[in-house]
Amino acid sequence: MDRPLSGGRLGYADAALADQPANGMTTMSTYAARNGHRNIAYSRETAVAFVIDAVESTGAATRNDFDIDRIVSIAHAMADDWDMKALQPATFWRIASSFIKQ
């Protein structure tokens, strides 16, 4: 019933596959955490802060010039994540430019 890992159809490939977790990583930490960076728990609040920082970063506009909540909601729906950096910059700015207040 229990066959040796290297005795399967694929020989050593079976053993190699059995030694790795399904995601191919040896630990469950993220790349950034393994390199000494802290993990960030993304949330709606971090997304709002990211959007405000982005729209005010050039100095040409302020948060009052944009509908921040709608930008965050649409960007979250498109990225399926609260990490706004998951979106391509061009996509983010297309979303933001759609919600400039008149």
Side-chain angles (χ1 to χ4, degrees):
M1 306 315 154
D2 289 326
R3 62 181 170 92
L5 292 175
S6 61
R9 280 185 314 146
L10 301 175
Y12 289 108
D14 279 346
L17 290 173
D19 290 342
Q20 296 294 321
N23 65 2
M25 300 173 69
T26 56
T27 64
M28 295 304 289
S29 63
T30 63
Y31 179 77
R34 287 191 309 245
N35 286 324
H37 301 284
R38 65 187 185 123
N39 285 333
I40 297 173
Y42 293 103
S43 64
R44 183 169 188 81
E45 291 76 24
T46 61
V48 168
F50 176 87
V51 171
I52 290 170
D53 185 56
V55 299
E56 291 184 342
S57 66
T58 65
T62 70
R63 68 188 78 190
N64 299 323
D65 298 321
F66 292 87
D67 187 341
I68 301 297
D69 286 331
R70 291 197 58 200
I71 294 169
V72 169
S73 295
I74 299 299
H76 170 65
M78 290 191 72
D80 196 26
D81 196 344
W82 288 117
D83 180 7
M84 297 291 106
K85 291 182 236 158
L87 290 172
Q88 292 291 322
T91 302
F92 171 80
W93 286 111
R94 268 193 300 278
I95 295 167
S97 67
S98 298
F99 296 106
I100 297 173
K101 292 180 181 177
Q102 298 290 329

